[in-house]
Amino acid sequence: MEFNKTYIGRVLCTIKSLLTGLKTTLKEFFTRKVTEQYPENRKTQKISDRHRAMLYMPLDENGNNKCIACGLCANNCPNGTITIKTKMVTDEETGKSKKVLDEYIYDLGCCMYCQICVNVCPKDAIAFNNHFENAVFDRKKLIIKLNK
Amino acid sequence: MLDFNTITTAIDQYLHSIMPAQAAIVTECILVALCAVLAYVAFAIVMIFMERKVCAAFQCRLGPMRVGPWGLLQVFADVFKMLIKEIISIDRSDKVLYNLAPYLVVMSSVLTFSCLPFADGLQVLDFNIGVFFIMAASSFGVLGILLAGWSSNNKYSMIGAVRSGAQMISYELSIGLCILVIVVLSGTMQISELVEAQRDGWFIFKGHIPAFIAFIIYLIAGNAETNRAPFDLPEAESELTAGFHTEYSGMHFGFFYVAEFMNLFIVAGIASTLFFGGWAPLHIAGFDMFNDIMNYIPGSIWFLGKTFFVIWLLMWVRWTFPRMRIDQVVSLEWKYLLPIGLVNLLIMTICVVMGWTF
């Protein structure tokens, strides 16, 4: 019979496996604790870059957003969070009229942070940032105009 | 070293000088009971706080941090909440037994608690069959648990209580055998003499291998006695809601809760008395300087330090292993711990007879 099938062998095997478990938890006992004490650690806390807290429009070096007002984000949004208002602008050099973005309105209260709008955007004109402290006392304040 | 006998003798003489002998004895009994119960509650509060912090550390958390600095006042808040809660009486329960059960549990653990030697002379009950008395007093706590389960008129409580009965009665045997190993080694059952015999070396060193095996078996069986994980079948939150104390609320639940924690303290206290020398300081034969320095540390600190170390060991085990099934619990006791304990007792007897101890 194999040794670890005998009575003594089983006892020793059990002790060995129990000690493995004890070693694991002992290591855990002395590691740095992961608890974040939120309001106190505001200065030092690090929110993951991938965290989706709020939609914003990244600007280029000239201070313009990259939105071409194609409306893909608004059409793809499952909750109807995004409303795009456009206007026609005539180009002075060529004389052609062109549809440009007038107001990009984002309703934070409706958003479910699925990130579909960001994924469908052909120009990467919108993105999520990690500013998560968004609580307000009035629902109207959740409706935000993203372009400046 | 500070000897508490001088203080107690002084109080005794003072009381006898101002009142007749009978009244003095009654007064002393009341004073001692008051001190014992107060110490009991104080240790319970320390234990609950320690449990929460140690558990948190094993799970890589910080534990309570909000109420008071480092959450120190959290336990007081919990106790206060428990005190102001209503004690609900259950429909068609056995009222007398239902109300009696928590007191039986607490009584057994206070009785056992008063046998612990906190320091030289700081011990309530000390007589020639002390260890035997501890066994007897601690084993009627199971009666309270069985009554609680039976009288609650609830299936969860009943199953919990029956499991608890099966478990505690089984594991009492192993505890008894481990204590017997030490009694064989020391030749006495009186707690003060047990501690006295360990002044020149703790029993875990004197008894070497058999004492160490006895210590391990004692820890396992003690964990089972206190109904803590991995032996928490009587409570088993996921299966039985709260086991035998499902129907209890307010301070009646509080009694079970406190008694559970204090049983842990008692198990650890007895372990430190039997194996680590109670309040006896660490002495290494030959190193007189070292021994003198160790003598300066008061006995109560030695006792509490050792006890809290053993408590920490038990908590470590608790927060590491998952709960066992009832058949595993019973087979661990009857197929493994009991035979090993018996063989261990035989080894210790041979060691003592042949003089192979230190």
PDB file of all heavy atoms in Angstrom, chain B residues 188-204:
ATOM      1  N   THR B 188       0.099  16.453  39.776  1.00  0.00           N
ATOM      2  CA  THR B 188      -0.846  17.190  40.603  1.00  0.00           C
ATOM      3  C   THR B 188      -1.984  17.688  39.732  1.00  0.00           C
ATOM      4  O   THR B 188      -1.853  17.821  38.524  1.00  0.00           O
ATOM      5  CB  THR B 188      -0.172  18.373  41.311  1.00  0.00           C
ATOM      6  OG1 THR B 188      -1.169  19.078  42.029  1.00  0.00           O
ATOM      7  CG2 THR B 188       0.486  19.301  40.336  1.00  0.00           C
ATOM      8  N   MET B 189      -3.120  17.970  40.385  1.00  0.00           N
ATOM      9  CA  MET B 189      -4.259  18.526  39.658  1.00  0.00           C
ATOM     10  C   MET B 189      -4.533  19.946  40.092  1.00  0.00           C
ATOM     11  O   MET B 189      -5.360  20.633  39.502  1.00  0.00           O
ATOM     12  CB  MET B 189      -5.510  17.694  39.923  1.00  0.00           C
ATOM     13  CG  MET B 189      -5.629  16.477  39.063  1.00  0.00           C
ATOM     14  SD  MET B 189      -7.154  15.679  39.448  1.00  0.00           S
ATOM     15  CE  MET B 189      -7.366  14.628  38.052  1.00  0.00           C
ATOM     16  N   GLN B 190      -3.854  20.385  41.159  1.00  0.00           N
ATOM     17  CA  GLN B 190      -4.111  21.730  41.675  1.00  0.00           C
ATOM     18  C   GLN B 190      -3.433  22.761  40.778  1.00  0.00           C
ATOM     19  O   GLN B 190      -2.248  22.627  40.448  1.00  0.00           O
ATOM     20  CB  GLN B 190      -3.590  21.838  43.104  1.00  0.00           C
ATOM     21  CG  GLN B 190      -3.988  23.132  43.754  1.00  0.00           C
ATOM     22  CD  GLN B 190      -3.764  23.088  45.233  1.00  0.00           C
ATOM     23  OE1 GLN B 190      -3.485  22.030  45.805  1.00  0.00           O
ATOM     24  NE2 GLN B 190      -3.883  24.226  45.882  1.00  0.00           N
ATOM     25  N   ILE B 191      -4.190  23.791  40.404  1.00  0.00           N
ATOM     26  CA  ILE B 191      -3.674  24.707  39.390  1.00  0.00           C
ATOM     27  C   ILE B 191      -2.471  25.481  39.901  1.00  0.00           C
ATOM     28  O   ILE B 191      -1.476  25.644  39.197  1.00  0.00           O
ATOM     29  CB  ILE B 191      -4.796  25.632  38.906  1.00  0.00           C
ATOM     30  CG1 ILE B 191      -5.787  24.808  38.102  1.00  0.00           C
ATOM     31  CG2 ILE B 191      -4.252  26.736  38.033  1.00  0.00           C
ATOM     32  CD1 ILE B 191      -7.098  25.435  37.933  1.00  0.00           C
ATOM     33  N   SER B 192      -2.530  25.931  41.164  1.00  0.00           N
ATOM     34  CA  SER B 192      -1.399  26.704  41.665  1.00  0.00           C
ATOM     35  C   SER B 192      -0.130  25.850  41.702  1.00  0.00           C
ATOM     36  O   SER B 192       0.959  26.329  41.407  1.00  0.00           O
ATOM     37  CB  SER B 192      -1.713  27.249  43.054  1.00  0.00           C
ATOM     38  OG  SER B 192      -2.080  26.200  43.895  1.00  0.00           O
ATOM     39  N   GLU B 193      -0.300  24.558  42.031  1.00  0.00           N
ATOM     40  CA  GLU B 193       0.883  23.677  42.051  1.00  0.00           C
ATOM     41  C   GLU B 193       1.387  23.400  40.643  1.00  0.00           C
ATOM     42  O   GLU B 193       2.591  23.288  40.415  1.00  0.00           O
ATOM     43  CB  GLU B 193       0.547  22.362  42.748  1.00  0.00           C
ATOM     44  CG  GLU B 193       0.527  22.480  44.260  1.00  0.00           C
ATOM     45  CD  GLU B 193       0.183  21.163  44.925  1.00  0.00           C
ATOM     46  OE1 GLU B 193       0.347  20.112  44.278  1.00  0.00           O
ATOM     47  OE2 GLU B 193      -0.263  21.214  46.074  1.00  0.00           O
ATOM     48  N   LEU B 194       0.439  23.301  39.687  1.00  0.00           N
ATOM     49  CA  LEU B 194       0.839  23.106  38.296  1.00  0.00           C
ATOM     50  C   LEU B 194       1.726  24.257  37.843  1.00  0.00           C
ATOM     51  O   LEU B 194       2.770  24.059  37.205  1.00  0.00           O
ATOM     52  CB  LEU B 194      -0.391  23.061  37.398  1.00  0.00           C
ATOM     53  CG  LEU B 194      -1.098  21.726  37.209  1.00  0.00           C
ATOM     54  CD1 LEU B 194      -2.408  21.933  36.499  1.00  0.00           C
ATOM     55  CD2 LEU B 194      -0.222  20.791  36.425  1.00  0.00           C
ATOM     56  N   VAL B 195       1.312  25.484  38.189  1.00  0.00           N
ATOM     57  CA  VAL B 195       2.103  26.650  37.782  1.00  0.00           C
ATOM     58  C   VAL B 195       3.426  26.651  38.526  1.00  0.00           C
ATOM     59  O   VAL B 195       4.485  26.903  37.936  1.00  0.00           O
ATOM     60  CB  VAL B 195       1.310  27.942  38.039  1.00  0.00           C
ATOM     61  CG1 VAL B 195       2.137  29.146  37.670  1.00  0.00           C
ATOM     62  CG2 VAL B 195       0.019  27.939  37.261  1.00  0.00           C
ATOM     63  N   GLU B 196       3.367  26.332  39.810  1.00  0.00           N
ATOM     64  CA  GLU B 196       4.579  26.327  40.635  1.00  0.00           C
ATOM     65  C   GLU B 196       5.613  25.354  40.059  1.00  0.00           C
ATOM     66  O   GLU B 196       6.806  25.652  40.030  1.00  0.00           O
ATOM     67  CB  GLU B 196       4.199  25.922  42.061  1.00  0.00           C
ATOM     68  CG  GLU B 196       5.098  26.450  43.139  1.00  0.00           C
ATOM     69  CD  GLU B 196       5.143  27.969  43.154  1.00  0.00           C
ATOM     70  OE1 GLU B 196       4.063  28.616  43.183  1.00  0.00           O
ATOM     71  OE2 GLU B 196       6.258  28.512  43.136  1.00  0.00           O
ATOM     72  N   ALA B 197       5.129  24.200  39.569  1.00  0.00           N
ATOM     73  CA  ALA B 197       6.033  23.189  39.028  1.00  0.00           C
ATOM     74  C   ALA B 197       6.697  23.648  37.737  1.00  0.00           C
ATOM     75  O   ALA B 197       7.660  23.037  37.288  1.00  0.00           O
ATOM     76  CB  ALA B 197       5.267  21.888  38.782  1.00  0.00           C
ATOM     77  N   GLN B 198       6.153  24.716  37.116  1.00  0.00           N
ATOM     78  CA  GLN B 198       6.717  25.153  35.840  1.00  0.00           C
ATOM     79  C   GLN B 198       7.648  26.348  35.991  1.00  0.00           C
ATOM     80  O   GLN B 198       8.040  26.964  35.007  1.00  0.00           O
ATOM     81  CB  GLN B 198       5.589  25.508  34.859  1.00  0.00           C
ATOM     82  CG  GLN B 198       4.706  24.330  34.578  1.00  0.00           C
ATOM     83  CD  GLN B 198       3.633  24.641  33.574  1.00  0.00           C
ATOM     84  OE1 GLN B 198       3.912  24.871  32.421  1.00  0.00           O
ATOM     85  NE2 GLN B 198       2.398  24.657  34.011  1.00  0.00           N
ATOM     86  N   ARG B 199       7.986  26.698  37.239  1.00  0.00           N
ATOM     87  CA  ARG B 199       8.849  27.857  37.451  1.00  0.00           C
ATOM     88  C   ARG B 199      10.226  27.656  36.833  1.00  0.00           C
ATOM     89  O   ARG B 199      10.831  28.596  36.334  1.00  0.00           O
ATOM     90  CB  ARG B 199       8.998  28.129  38.950  1.00  0.00           C
ATOM     91  CG  ARG B 199       7.897  28.995  39.463  1.00  0.00           C
ATOM     92  CD  ARG B 199       8.143  29.378  40.894  1.00  0.00           C
ATOM     93  NE  ARG B 199       7.176  30.386  41.262  1.00  0.00           N
ATOM     94  CZ  ARG B 199       7.515  31.611  41.649  1.00  0.00           C
ATOM     95  NH1 ARG B 199       8.769  31.954  41.732  1.00  0.00           N
ATOM     96  NH2 ARG B 199       6.592  32.477  41.967  1.00  0.00           N
ATOM     97  N   ASP B 200      10.730  26.420  36.868  1.00  0.00           N
ATOM     98  CA  ASP B 200      12.071  26.178  36.320  1.00  0.00           C
ATOM     99  C   ASP B 200      12.017  25.674  34.884  1.00  0.00           C
ATOM    100  O   ASP B 200      13.029  25.280  34.330  1.00  0.00           O
ATOM    101  CB  ASP B 200      12.831  25.189  37.216  1.00  0.00           C
ATOM    102  CG  ASP B 200      12.003  23.952  37.494  1.00  0.00           C
ATOM    103  OD1 ASP B 200      10.767  24.028  37.334  1.00  0.00           O
ATOM    104  OD2 ASP B 200      12.580  22.922  37.860  1.00  0.00           O
ATOM    105  N   GLY B 201      10.862  25.704  34.258  1.00  0.00           N
ATOM    106  CA  GLY B 201      10.769  25.260  32.865  1.00  0.00           C
ATOM    107  C   GLY B 201       9.333  24.894  32.562  1.00  0.00           C
ATOM    108  O   GLY B 201       8.691  24.209  33.351  1.00  0.00           O
ATOM    109  N   TRP B 202       8.835  25.413  31.447  1.00  0.00           N
ATOM    110  CA  TRP B 202       7.435  25.160  31.113  1.00  0.00           C
ATOM    111  C   TRP B 202       7.249  23.704  30.717  1.00  0.00           C
ATOM    112  O   TRP B 202       8.176  23.072  30.210  1.00  0.00           O
ATOM    113  CB  TRP B 202       6.988  26.081  29.976  1.00  0.00           C
ATOM    114  CG  TRP B 202       7.137  27.524  30.307  1.00  0.00           C
ATOM    115  CD1 TRP B 202       7.393  28.059  31.535  1.00  0.00           C
ATOM    116  CD2 TRP B 202       7.056  28.622  29.399  1.00  0.00           C
ATOM    117  NE1 TRP B 202       7.452  29.420  31.453  1.00  0.00           N
ATOM    118  CE2 TRP B 202       7.262  29.788  30.162  1.00  0.00           C
ATOM    119  CE3 TRP B 202       6.816  28.727  28.033  1.00  0.00           C
ATOM    120  CZ2 TRP B 202       7.240  31.055  29.585  1.00  0.00           C
ATOM    121  CZ3 TRP B 202       6.796  29.977  27.465  1.00  0.00           C
ATOM    122  CH2 TRP B 202       7.002  31.132  28.233  1.00  0.00           C
ATOM    123  N   PHE B 203       6.023  23.204  30.892  1.00  0.00           N
ATOM    124  CA  PHE B 203       5.773  21.790  30.627  1.00  0.00           C
ATOM    125  C   PHE B 203       5.969  21.437  29.169  1.00  0.00           C
ATOM    126  O   PHE B 203       6.304  20.301  28.833  1.00  0.00           O
ATOM    127  CB  PHE B 203       4.357  21.409  31.070  1.00  0.00           C
ATOM    128  CG  PHE B 203       4.259  21.178  32.542  1.00  0.00           C
ATOM    129  CD1 PHE B 203       3.085  21.433  33.225  1.00  0.00           C
ATOM    130  CD2 PHE B 203       5.343  20.717  33.257  1.00  0.00           C
ATOM    131  CE1 PHE B 203       2.995  21.221  34.573  1.00  0.00           C
ATOM    132  CE2 PHE B 203       5.268  20.505  34.615  1.00  0.00           C
ATOM    133  CZ  PHE B 203       4.089  20.761  35.282  1.00  0.00           C
ATOM    134  N   ILE B 204       5.762  22.434  28.265  1.00  0.00           N
ATOM    135  CA  ILE B 204       5.943  22.093  26.855  1.00  0.00           C
ATOM    136  C   ILE B 204       7.408  21.791  26.559  1.00  0.00           C
ATOM    137  O   ILE B 204       7.733  21.034  25.649  1.00  0.00           O
ATOM    138  CB  ILE B 204       5.382  23.202  25.942  1.00  0.00           C
ATOM    139  CG1 ILE B 204       5.151  22.674  24.537  1.00  0.00           C
ATOM    140  CG2 ILE B 204       6.287  24.429  25.927  1.00  0.00           C
ATOM    141  CD1 ILE B 204       4.058  23.331  23.813  1.00  0.00           C
TER     142      ILE B 204
END
